[in-house]
Coordinates of all heavy atoms in Angstrom, one line a residue:
M1 N -8.6 -21.6 88.2 CA -7.4 -22.1 88.9 C -6.9 -23.4 88.4 O -7.7 -24.2 87.8 CB -7.9 -22.4 90.5 CG -6.8 -23.0 91.3 SD -7.1 -22.6 93.0 CE -5.6 -23.0 93.6
L2 N -5.7 -23.5 88.5 CA -5.0 -24.7 87.8 C -4.1 -25.4 88.9 O -3.4 -24.6 89.6 CB -4.1 -24.2 86.5 CG -3.1 -25.2 86.1 CD1 -4.1 -26.3 85.4 CD2 -2.4 -24.6 85.0
A3 N -4.1 -26.7 89.0 CA -3.2 -27.3 89.8 C -2.5 -28.4 89.0 O -3.1 -29.1 88.2 CB -4.0 -28.0 90.9
I4 N -1.2 -28.4 89.1 CA -0.4 -29.4 88.4 C 0.6 -30.1 89.2 O 1.0 -29.6 90.2 CB 0.3 -28.7 87.2 CG1 1.3 -27.6 87.8 CG2 -0.6 -28.0 86.2 CD1 2.3 -27.1 86.7
R5 N 0.7 -31.4 89.0 CA 1.8 -32.1 89.6 C 3.0 -32.2 88.8 O 2.9 -32.4 87.5 CB 1.3 -33.6 89.8 CG 0.2 -33.6 90.9 CD 0.0 -35.0 91.3 NE -1.2 -35.1 92.1 CZ -1.2 -34.9 93.5 NH1 -0.1 -34.5 94.0 NH2 -2.4 -34.9 94.1
L6 N 4.2 -32.0 89.3 CA 5.4 -32.0 88.5 C 6.3 -33.2 89.0 O 6.2 -33.4 90.3 CB 6.1 -30.7 88.8 CG 5.4 -29.4 88.2 CD1 6.2 -28.2 88.6 CD2 5.3 -29.4 86.6
P7 N 7.1 -33.6 88.3 CA 8.2 -34.5 88.7 C 8.9 -33.9 89.9 O 9.2 -32.7 89.8 CB 9.0 -34.9 87.5 CG 8.2 -34.5 86.4 CD 7.3 -33.4 86.7
E8 N 9.3 -34.7 90.8 CA 10.2 -34.1 92.0 C 11.3 -33.4 91.6 O 11.6 -32.3 92.1 CB 10.6 -35.3 92.9 CG 11.3 -35.0 94.3 CD 11.5 -35.9 95.1 OE1 10.9 -37.2 95.0 OE2 12.4 -35.8 96.0
E9 N 12.2 -33.8 90.5 CA 13.3 -33.1 90.2 C 12.9 -31.7 89.6 O 13.6 -30.7 89.9 CB 14.0 -33.9 88.9 CG 15.2 -33.1 88.4 CD 15.7 -33.8 87.1 OE1 15.4 -35.0 87.0 OE2 16.5 -33.2 86.4
I10 N 11.7 -31.5 88.8 CA 11.4 -30.2 88.3 C 10.9 -29.4 89.5 O 11.2 -28.2 89.5 CB 10.4 -30.3 87.3 CG1 10.8 -31.3 86.0 CG2 9.8 -29.1 86.8 CD1 12.0 -30.7 85.4
E11 N 10.1 -29.9 90.3 CA 9.7 -29.2 91.5 C 10.8 -28.7 92.4 O 10.8 -27.5 92.8 CB 8.8 -30.2 92.3 CG 8.3 -29.5 93.7 CD 7.0 -28.7 93.4 OE1 6.3 -28.9 92.4 OE2 6.9 -27.6 94.1
D12 N 11.9 -29.5 92.4 CA 13.1 -29.1 93.2 C 13.7 -27.9 92.5 O 14.1 -27.0 93.1 CB 14.0 -30.2 93.4 CG 13.4 -31.3 94.5 OD1 12.6 -30.9 95.1 OD2 14.1 -32.3 94.4
R13 N 13.8 -28.0 91.2 CA 14.5 -27.0 90.5 C 13.8 -25.7 90.4 O 14.2 -24.5 90.6 CB 14.7 -27.5 88.9 CG 15.7 -28.5 88.8 CD 15.8 -29.1 87.4 NE 16.0 -27.9 86.3 CZ 15.8 -28.0 85.1 NH1 15.4 -29.3 84.6 NH2 16.1 -27.0 84.2
L14 N 12.5 -25.8 90.5 CA 11.6 -24.7 90.5 C 11.7 -24.0 91.8 O 11.7 -22.7 92.0 CB 10.1 -25.0 90.1 CG 9.1 -24.0 90.0 CD1 9.4 -23.0 89.0 CD2 7.7 -24.5 89.7
S15 N 11.6 -24.7 92.9 CA 11.8 -24.3 94.2 C 13.2 -23.5 94.4 O 13.2 -22.5 95.0 CB 11.7 -25.4 95.3 OG 10.3 -26.1 95.3
E16 N 14.2 -24.1 93.9 CA 15.5 -23.5 94.0 C 15.6 -22.2 93.3 O 16.1 -21.1 93.9 CB 16.7 -24.3 93.6 CG 16.9 -25.6 94.5 CD 17.4 -25.1 95.9 OE1 18.3 -24.3 95.9 OE2 16.9 -25.7 96.8
L17 N 15.0 -22.1 92.2 CA 14.9 -20.8 91.3 C 14.1 -19.8 92.1 O 14.5 -18.7 92.2 CB 14.3 -21.1 89.9 CG 14.2 -20.0 89.0 CD1 15.6 -19.3 88.6 CD2 13.4 -20.2 87.7
A18 N 13.0 -20.2 92.6 CA 12.1 -19.2 93.3 C 12.9 -18.7 94.5 O 12.9 -17.5 94.8 CB 10.9 -19.9 93.7
K19 N 13.6 -19.6 95.2 CA 14.2 -19.3 96.4 C 15.4 -18.3 96.2 O 15.7 -17.2 96.8 CB 14.8 -20.4 97.2 CG 15.6 -20.3 98.5 CD 16.0 -21.6 99.1 CE 17.0 -21.3 100.3 NZ 17.4 -22.6 100.9
A20 N 16.2 -18.6 95.1 CA 17.3 -17.8 94.7 C 17.0 -16.4 94.1 O 17.8 -15.5 94.3 CB 18.1 -18.6 93.6
T21 N 15.8 -16.4 93.6 CA 15.4 -15.0 92.9 C 14.4 -14.3 93.9 O 14.0 -13.0 93.5 CB 14.7 -15.3 91.6 OG1 13.6 -16.1 91.7 CG2 15.8 -15.9 90.7
G22 N 13.8 -14.8 94.8 CA 12.7 -14.1 95.6 C 11.4 -14.1 95.0 O 10.6 -13.3 95.4
R23 N 11.3 -14.9 93.9 CA 9.9 -14.9 93.3 C 9.2 -16.2 93.7 O 9.9 -17.0 94.3 CB 10.1 -14.9 91.8 CG 10.8 -13.5 91.3 CD 10.3 -13.3 89.8 NE 10.9 -12.1 89.4 CZ 10.1 -11.1 89.2 NH1 8.8 -11.0 89.4 NH2 10.6 -10.0 88.6
T24 N 8.0 -16.3 93.4 CA 7.2 -17.6 93.8 C 7.4 -18.5 92.7 O 7.7 -18.3 91.5 CB 5.7 -17.2 94.0 OG1 5.2 -16.8 92.8 CG2 5.6 -16.2 95.0
K25 N 7.0 -19.8 93.1 CA 7.0 -20.9 92.0 C 5.9 -20.7 91.1 O 6.0 -20.8 90.0 CB 6.9 -22.2 92.8 CG 8.0 -22.5 93.5 CD 7.9 -24.1 94.0 CE 6.7 -24.2 95.0 NZ 6.7 -25.7 95.5
T26 N 4.8 -20.1 91.6 CA 3.7 -19.8 90.7 C 4.0 -18.7 89.6 O 3.6 -18.9 88.5 CB 2.5 -19.2 91.5 OG1 2.1 -20.2 92.5 CG2 1.3 -18.8 90.8
F27 N 4.8 -17.8 90.0 CA 5.3 -16.7 89.1 C 6.0 -17.5 87.9 O 5.7 -17.3 86.6 CB 6.3 -15.8 89.6 CG 6.9 -14.8 88.7 CD1 6.4 -13.7 88.2 CD2 8.2 -15.2 88.1 CE1 7.0 -12.8 87.2 CE2 8.8 -14.4 87.4 CZ 8.2 -13.3 86.8
Y28 N 6.8 -18.4 88.2 CA 7.8 -19.0 87.1 C 6.9 -20.0 86.4 O 7.1 -20.2 85.1 CB 8.9 -19.7 87.7 CG 10.0 -18.6 88.1 CD1 10.3 -18.5 89.5 CD2 10.6 -17.9 87.0 CE1 11.3 -17.5 89.8 CE2 11.5 -17.0 87.4 CZ 11.9 -16.8 88.8 OH 12.9 -15.7 89.0
A29 N 5.9 -20.7 87.1 CA 5.0 -21.7 86.3 C 4.2 -20.9 85.4 O 4.0 -21.2 84.2 CB 4.3 -22.4 87.2
R30 N 3.7 -19.8 85.8 CA 2.8 -18.8 84.9 C 3.7 -18.3 83.8 O 3.2 -18.4 82.6 CB 2.3 -17.6 85.7 CG 1.4 -16.8 85.0 CD 0.9 -15.6 85.9 NE 0.0 -14.8 85.2 CZ 0.3 -13.6 84.6 NH1 1.5 -13.5 84.5 NH2 -0.6 -12.9 83.9
E31 N 4.8 -17.9 83.9 CA 5.7 -17.4 82.9 C 6.0 -18.4 81.8 O 6.0 -18.1 80.7 CB 7.1 -16.8 83.5 CG 6.9 -15.5 84.2 CD 6.4 -14.3 83.3 OE1 7.1 -14.0 82.2 OE2 5.3 -13.8 83.7
A32 N 6.3 -19.6 82.2 CA 6.6 -20.7 81.4 C 5.4 -21.0 80.5 O 5.4 -21.2 79.3 CB 7.0 -22.0 82.1
I33 N 4.1 -21.0 81.1 CA 3.0 -21.4 80.4 C 2.8 -20.1 79.4 O 2.5 -20.5 78.2 CB 1.8 -21.6 81.3 CG1 1.9 -22.9 82.1 CG2 0.4 -21.5 80.5 CD1 1.1 -23.0 83.2
L34 N 2.8 -19.0 79.7 CA 2.6 -17.8 78.9 C 3.5 -17.8 77.7 O 3.1 -17.6 76.6 CB 2.6 -16.4 79.6 CG 1.5 -16.2 80.6 CD1 1.7 -15.1 81.5 CD2 0.2 -16.1 79.8
Q35 N 5.0 -18.1 77.9 CA 5.8 -18.1 76.9 C 5.6 -19.2 75.8 O 5.7 -19.0 74.7 CB 7.1 -18.2 77.5 CG 7.6 -16.9 78.1 CD 9.0 -16.9 78.7 OE1 9.8 -17.8 78.2 NE2 9.4 -16.1 79.5
H36 N 5.1 -20.4 76.4 CA 5.0 -21.6 75.5 C 3.6 -21.8 74.9 O 3.5 -22.5 73.9 CB 5.6 -22.8 76.2 CG 7.0 -22.7 76.4 ND1 8.0 -22.8 75.4 CD2 7.7 -22.4 77.6 CE1 9.1 -22.6 76.1 NE2 8.9 -22.4 77.2
L37 N 2.6 -21.1 75.5 CA 1.2 -21.4 75.0 C 1.0 -21.0 73.5 O 0.5 -21.7 72.7 CB 0.3 -20.7 75.8 CG -1.2 -20.9 75.5 CD1 -1.6 -22.2 75.6 CD2 -2.1 -19.9 76.5
E38 N 1.8 -19.9 73.0 CA 1.5 -19.4 71.8 C 2.4 -20.3 70.8 O 1.8 -20.6 69.8 CB 2.3 -17.9 71.6 CG 2.0 -17.4 70.2 CD 2.4 -15.9 70.1 OE1 2.4 -15.2 71.1 OE2 2.7 -15.6 69.0
E39 N 3.5 -20.9 71.3 CA 4.1 -21.9 70.4 C 3.2 -23.1 70.1 O 3.1 -23.7 69.2 CB 5.3 -22.3 71.1 CG 6.4 -21.2 71.0 CD 7.7 -21.7 71.7 OE1 8.1 -22.8 71.8 OE2 8.3 -20.7 72.3
L40 N 2.6 -23.5 71.2 CA 1.8 -24.7 71.2 C 0.5 -24.5 70.3 O 0.2 -25.3 69.6 CB 1.3 -25.1 72.7 CG 2.3 -25.7 73.6 CD1 1.8 -25.8 74.9 CD2 3.0 -27.0 73.0
E41 N 0.0 -23.3 70.5 CA -1.2 -22.9 69.5 C -0.8 -22.9 68.0 O -1.5 -23.4 67.2 CB -1.7 -21.5 70.0 CG -2.5 -21.5 71.3 CD -2.7 -20.1 71.8 OE1 -2.0 -19.2 71.5 OE2 -3.7 -20.0 72.5
D42 N 0.5 -22.3 67.8 CA 1.0 -22.3 66.4 C 1.2 -23.8 65.9 O 0.9 -24.0 64.6 CB 2.3 -21.6 66.3 CG 2.1 -20.1 66.5 OD1 0.9 -19.6 66.4 OD2 3.1 -19.4 66.7
I43 N 1.7 -24.7 66.7 CA 1.9 -26.0 66.3 C 0.6 -26.7 66.0 O 0.4 -27.4 64.9 CB 2.8 -26.8 67.4 CG1 4.1 -26.3 67.4 CG2 2.7 -28.4 67.2 CD1 4.9 -26.8 68.8
Y44 N -0.3 -26.6 66.8 CA -1.7 -27.1 66.6 C -2.2 -26.5 65.3 O -2.8 -27.3 64.4 CB -2.7 -26.7 67.8 CG -4.1 -27.2 67.4 CD1 -4.5 -28.4 67.5 CD2 -5.0 -26.2 66.9 CE1 -5.8 -28.9 67.2 CE2 -6.3 -26.5 66.7 CZ -6.6 -27.9 66.8 OH -7.9 -28.2 66.5
L45 N -2.2 -25.2 65.0 CA -2.8 -24.6 63.9 C -2.0 -25.2 62.5 O -2.7 -25.6 61.6 CB -2.6 -23.2 63.9 CG -3.0 -22.5 62.6 CD1 -4.6 -22.6 62.4 CD2 -2.8 -21.0 62.7
A46 N -0.7 -25.3 62.6 CA 0.2 -25.9 61.6 C -0.3 -27.3 61.3 O -0.4 -27.7 60.1 CB 1.6 -25.8 61.7
E47 N -0.4 -28.0 62.3 CA -0.8 -29.4 62.2 C -2.3 -29.6 61.5 O -2.5 -30.4 60.6 CB -0.7 -30.3 63.4 CG 0.7 -30.5 63.9 CD 0.8 -31.0 65.4 OE1 -0.3 -31.1 66.0 OE2 2.0 -31.5 65.7
A48 N -3.2 -28.8 61.9 CA -4.5 -28.9 61.5 C -4.5 -28.4 60.0 O -5.2 -29.0 59.1 CB -5.4 -27.9 62.3
R49 N -3.8 -27.5 59.7 CA -3.6 -26.9 58.2 C -3.1 -28.0 57.4 O -3.5 -28.2 56.3 CB -2.9 -25.6 58.2 CG -2.9 -25.0 56.8 CD -4.2 -24.6 56.3 NE -5.1 -23.8 57.2 CZ -5.0 -22.6 57.2 NH1 -4.5 -21.8 56.2 NH2 -5.9 -21.9 58.0
A50 N -1.9 -28.7 57.8 CA -1.4 -29.7 57.1 C -2.4 -30.8 56.7 O -2.4 -31.4 55.7 CB -0.1 -30.2 57.8
I51 N -3.1 -31.2 57.8 CA -4.2 -32.3 57.6 C -5.1 -31.8 56.4 O -5.5 -32.6 55.6 CB -4.9 -32.6 58.9 CG1 -3.8 -33.2 59.8 CG2 -6.1 -33.4 58.6 CD1 -4.4 -33.4 61.2
K52 N -5.6 -30.5 56.4 CA -6.5 -30.1 55.4 C -5.9 -30.0 54.0 O -6.6 -30.3 53.1 CB -7.0 -28.8 55.9 CG -8.1 -28.8 56.9 CD -8.6 -27.4 57.2 CE -9.6 -27.4 58.4 NZ -10.4 -26.1 58.6
I53 N -4.6 -29.7 54.1 CA -3.9 -29.7 52.7 C -3.7 -31.2 52.1 O -4.1 -31.3 51.0 CB -2.5 -28.8 52.9 CG1 -2.7 -27.5 53.1 CG2 -1.7 -29.2 51.6 CD1 -1.4 -26.7 53.5
R54 N -3.3 -32.0 52.9 CA -3.2 -33.4 52.5 C -4.5 -34.0 52.0 O -4.5 -34.8 51.1 CB -2.6 -34.1 53.7 CG -1.1 -34.0 53.7 CD -0.4 -34.9 54.7 NE 0.3 -34.3 55.6 CZ 0.3 -34.1 56.9 NH1 -0.7 -34.7 57.5 NH2 1.2 -33.3 57.6
S55 N -5.6 -33.7 52.7 CA -6.9 -34.2 52.3 C -7.5 -33.5 51.1 O -8.5 -34.0 50.6 CB -7.9 -34.2 53.6 OG -8.3 -32.8 53.8
G56 N -6.9 -32.5 50.7 CA -7.5 -31.7 49.5 C -8.5 -30.7 49.9 O -9.1 -30.1 49.1
E57 N -8.9 -30.5 51.2 CA -9.8 -29.6 51.7 C -9.4 -28.2 51.4 O -10.2 -27.3 51.3 CB -10.1 -29.9 53.1 CG -11.2 -29.1 53.7 CD -11.5 -29.6 55.2 OE1 -11.2 -30.5 55.6 OE2 -12.2 -28.7 55.9
T58 N -8.0 -28.1 51.7 CA -7.4 -26.6 51.5 C -6.4 -26.8 50.3 O -5.7 -27.6 50.3 CB -6.8 -26.1 52.7 OG1 -7.8 -26.0 53.8 CG2 -6.0 -24.8 52.6
K59 N -6.4 -25.7 49.6 CA -5.4 -25.6 48.5 C -4.4 -24.7 48.7 O -4.4 -23.8 49.6 CB -6.1 -25.1 47.1 CG -7.3 -26.0 46.7 CD -6.7 -27.3 46.2 CE -8.0 -28.2 45.7 NZ -7.6 -29.6 45.8
T60 N -3.1 -24.9 48.2 CA -2.1 -24.0 48.4 C -1.8 -23.1 47.1 O -2.4 -23.5 46.0 CB -0.8 -24.7 48.7 OG1 -0.4 -25.5 47.6 CG2 -0.9 -25.6 50.1
I61 N -1.1 -22.0 47.4 CA -0.8 -21.2 46.2 C 0.8 -21.0 46.3 O 1.3 -20.7 47.4 CB -1.4 -19.7 46.4 CG1 -2.9 -20.0 46.2 CG2 -1.0 -18.9 45.2 CD1 -3.8 -18.8 46.6
S62 N 1.5 -21.0 45.2 CA 3.0 -20.8 45.2 C 3.3 -19.5 45.5 O 2.5 -18.6 45.3 CB 3.5 -21.2 43.8 OG 3.2 -20.2 42.8
L63 N 4.5 -19.3 46.1 CA 5.0 -17.8 46.4 C 5.0 -17.0 45.1 O 4.6 -15.8 45.1 CB 6.2 -17.9 47.0 CG 6.9 -16.6 47.4 CD1 6.1 -15.7 48.3 CD2 8.3 -16.8 48.1
D64 N 5.5 -17.6 44.1 CA 5.5 -16.8 42.8 C 4.0 -16.3 42.4 O 4.0 -15.2 42.0 CB 6.0 -17.7 41.6 CG 7.4 -18.0 41.7 OD1 8.2 -17.3 42.4 OD2 7.9 -19.1 41.2
N65 N 3.1 -17.2 42.5 CA 1.7 -16.6 42.2 C 1.3 -15.6 43.2 O 0.5 -14.6 42.6 CB 0.7 -17.8 42.2 CG 0.9 -18.7 41.0 OD1 1.6 -18.4 40.0 ND2 0.3 -19.9 41.1
V66 N 1.5 -15.6 44.4 CA 1.2 -14.6 45.3 C 1.9 -13.3 44.9 O 1.3 -12.3 45.0 CB 1.5 -15.0 46.7 CG1 1.4 -13.9 47.7 CG2 0.8 -16.1 47.2
M67 N 3.2 -13.5 44.7 CA 3.9 -12.1 44.2 C 3.3 -11.4 43.1 O 3.2 -10.3 43.1 CB 5.3 -12.5 43.9 CG 6.1 -13.2 45.2 SD 6.5 -12.1 46.5 CE 7.9 -11.2 45.8
V68 N 2.9 -12.3 42.1 CA 2.3 -11.8 40.8 C 1.0 -11.1 41.2 O 0.7 -10.1 40.8 CB 2.2 -12.8 39.8 CG1 1.3 -12.4 38.6 CG2 3.5 -13.2 39.2
E69 N 0.2 -11.9 41.9 CA -1.1 -11.4 42.2 C -1.0 -10.0 43.0 O -2.0 -9.1 42.7 CB -2.0 -12.5 43.2 CG -3.3 -12.1 43.5 CD -4.1 -13.2 44.1 OE1 -3.8 -14.3 44.0 OE2 -5.0 -12.8 44.9
Y70 N -0.2 -9.9 43.9 CA -0.1 -8.7 44.8 C 0.9 -7.6 44.1 O 1.2 -6.6 44.8 CB 0.2 -8.9 46.1 CG -1.1 -9.6 46.8 CD1 -1.1 -11.0 47.0 CD2 -2.1 -8.8 47.2 CE1 -2.1 -11.6 47.5 CE2 -3.2 -9.4 47.9 CZ -3.2 -10.9 47.9 OH -4.3 -11.4 48.6
G71 N 1.4 -7.9 42.9 CA 2.3 -6.9 42.2 C 3.7 -6.7 42.9 O 4.2 -5.7 43.0
L72 N 4.1 -7.7 43.5 CA 5.4 -7.7 44.2 C 6.5 -8.5 43.6 O 7.6 -8.6 44.0 CB 5.2 -8.5 45.6 CG 4.1 -7.8 46.5 CD1 3.8 -8.7 47.7 CD2 4.4 -6.4 46.9
E73 N 6.4 -8.8 42.3 CA 7.5 -9.5 41.5 C 8.4 -8.5 41.2 O 8.3 -7.3 41.3 CB 7.0 -10.1 40.1 CG 6.5 -9.1 39.2 CD 4.9 -8.9 39.0 OE1 4.3 -9.9 38.6 OE2 4.3 -8.0 39.4
N74 N 9.7 -8.8 41.0 CA 10.9 -8.0 40.9 C 10.9 -7.3 39.6 O 10.7 -7.6 38.6 CB 12.2 -8.9 41.0 CG 12.3 -9.4 42.4 OD1 11.9 -8.7 43.4 ND2 13.0 -10.5 42.6

């Protein structure tokens, strides 16, 4: 279970949307979380990877080299 506090303006907007559509505020909060969770996970992964690349822990390969390695060159 999750309980969150929202700024009054956001709470009011959420209430109006729920009232206008006949859905619950929980429905819309859940939908917003589900839609943005993947984006947040991708951002975290990209930031973690960038740190590893900058530190030299992870190496990169050019697109040209990948194309050659997998026989995808033109």
Side-chain angles (χ1 to χ4, degrees):
M1 174 155 192
L2 174 68
I4 58 172
R5 293 194 185 277
L6 298 171
E8 186 175 339
E9 177 187 344
I10 302 299
E11 179 79 28
D12 291 344
R13 288 174 59 193
L14 188 57
S15 293
E16 287 299 317
L17 178 61
K19 182 179 174 183
T21 62
R23 296 201 181 254
T24 65
K25 292 188 296 183
T26 300
F27 171 83
Y28 287 111
R30 182 177 182 273
E31 287 299 303
I33 291 169
L34 290 174
Q35 287 183 17
H36 294 286
L37 184 58
E38 188 171 331
E39 291 175 31
L40 293 171
E41 290 169 334
D42 288 345
I43 290 168
Y44 171 78
L45 178 62
E47 288 173 346
R49 184 59 53 97
I51 290 168
K52 288 183 176 186
I53 290 169
R54 282 190 225 113
S55 72
E57 186 179 336
T58 297
K59 301 293 182 200
T60 60
I61 300 172
S62 72
L63 177 57
D64 290 337
N65 288 347
V66 171
M67 299 288 282
V68 168
E69 184 173 332
Y70 290 98
L72 301 172
E73 66 254 294
N74 291 331

